[in-house]
Amino acid sequence: MAAEKKYHVGLAAGEVGAYVLMPGDPFRTALIAKYLDGAEEKAFSREYRTFTGTVEGARVSTTSSGIGGPSAAIAVEELSELGAHTFLRVGTCGAAQSGIKMGDLVIATGSVRSEGTPDAYVPREYPAIAHPDVVNACVAAAEAAGAGHHLGIIRSVDALYSDLIPSRMPRREALEAELLMWSRAGVVANDMESSTIMVVSSLRKLRAGVILLCIDELGSGEIHHLDPALMDRMLRVAVDAIRRLIVGDAAPRQ
C-alpha cells in the first residue's frame, strides 16, 4: 500500500529532506536542484514543486511555496509533518533603502508583519525572527562567494502592487506615508512570504531564514528581469548556506 501523500504538497514520508530551500517560483526549484547531488523530482502539486537530493550526504529538498503567506504557511506545516526542520526562503524582494541595488542580496534578521496569514496563528506582538543559525550560514556563504549583501529587518506584505505603485491606489497618501515610515525605520526590503515562514517555523520549533535577490530598487515602481547569472549566484549561495548548516549540525557539540 502506497504511503499517504499530504493533500497540498503531494508528498509522502521519505520524500522530503530535513533541510528545505523554499523559493516562490515552481520553476526555480529545478534550478536549485542542479546544485543538489542526485536530485529527483518528487511532486508537482498546485504551486508546490519538489525536488529532493543530498548535500554533504544529508537529504535536502527544494519546494516552491507559490506567492503569498497562505500557501507558504501550508508548505511549512505539511513539510514539517514529513520531517523537515530547517527552511531557507530563497526569493526576491523590492529594496526599501536607496543603497540597495538590483542584483544585491538581502539576508533577513526578521520581518515586519504587514501581511495577514500569521494573524490566524498568533497576535502581531509576536515577532517574525529568523533563526540565528540560518542567518549566520547565509552571511558566511555570501561572504565566501564575494556577493554583495545587506543584513537587516525586512517587511512582508499581502498586496504587491500597493507597495510597488502606491500612486495608483485609492489610499495613495496613506500608502506612500507608510512606505516612507518603514524606510525611515531602517527596513531594508519588502517581500510577501518571509514573515509567515518565520512565524510558523518559530511556533513549530523549526529553524527558518531568508535570503532574497533585489529586483526592484526603491521608488522604481517596476520589477525587472535580471541577468540569470545573478539569480544563479543567489541559488549557489543559498545551497552553500544549507551545506554549512548541515556541517555545523553534524559537528560535535562543545
Side-chain angles (χ1 to χ4, degrees):
M1 181 176 177
E4 183 176 356
K5 295 182 181 294
K6 289 295 181 183
Y7 186 82
H8 298 94
V9 298
L11 295 160
E15 294 183 322
V16 178
Y19 303 82
V20 179
L21 295 122
M22 188 178 289
D25 183 353
F27 296 98
R28 202 176 301 149
T29 59
L31 300 178
I32 294 171
K34 294 188 302 181
Y35 296 107
L36 307 181
D37 296 329
E40 297 180 354
E41 186 168 4
K42 297 298 185 181
F44 196 160
S45 173
R46 304 179 185 226
E47 60 266 62
Y48 307 108
R49 187 182 190 186
T50 299
F51 290 81
T52 297
T54 64
V55 173
E56 297 286 340
R59 285 171 62 78
V60 175
S61 296
T62 175
T63 300
S64 52
S65 69
I67 295 175
S71 60
I74 289 170
V76 173
E77 294 280 20
E78 294 192 0
L79 292 170
S80 66
E81 290 172 358
L82 294 171
H85 60 59
T86 299
F87 294 87
L88 177 56
R89 166 158 158 69
V90 187
T92 56
C93 66
Q97 300 294 328
S98 59
I100 300 176
K101 302 302 182 184
M102 301 282 293
D104 286 357
L105 300 181
V106 172
I107 299 167
T109 56
S111 179
V112 176
R113 288 176 52 185
S114 291
E115 93 296 26
T117 300
D119 294 354
Y121 283 80
V122 68
R124 290 204 177 189
E125 290 83 359
Y126 189 94
I129 300 295
H131 195 284
D133 290 353
V134 187
V135 174
N136 292 337
C138 287
V139 170
E143 290 177 346
H149 60 282
H150 306 267
L151 185 69
I153 297 170
I154 64 170
R155 172 174 164 266
S156 297
V157 302
D158 283 329
L160 172 63
Y161 278 88
S162 290
D163 265 30
L164 191 64
I165 316 175
S167 61
R168 289 172 48 184
M169 301 298 158
R171 298 193 304 120
R172 170 182 178 174
E173 293 80 5
L175 290 170
E176 290 175 342
E178 183 178 6
L179 288 170
L180 178 60
M181 181 271 292
W182 288 123
S183 181
R184 286 174 172 171
V187 166
V188 295
N190 301 295
D191 85 331
M192 299 184 69
E193 296 82 24
S194 294
S195 173
T196 296
I197 292 169
M198 287 187 275
V199 169
V200 176
S201 295
S202 181
L203 291 171
R204 299 291 181 245
K205 295 180 171 54
L206 312 167
R207 295 187 302 190
V210 175
I211 188 167
L212 306 170
L213 179 67
C214 176
I215 59 171
D216 169 31
E217 292 183 7
L218 181 65
S220 71
E222 183 179 2
I223 295 174
H224 298 273
H225 293 283
L226 298 183
D227 181 341
L230 294 172
M231 175 62 73
D232 185 68
R233 182 184 65 175
M234 178 181 66
L235 302 184
R236 286 186 282 110
V237 168
V239 173
D240 185 41
I242 291 294
R243 182 189 66 79
R244 291 168 185 271
L245 287 165
I246 291 167
V247 171
D249 290 347
R253 299 296 179 181
Q254 298 297 321

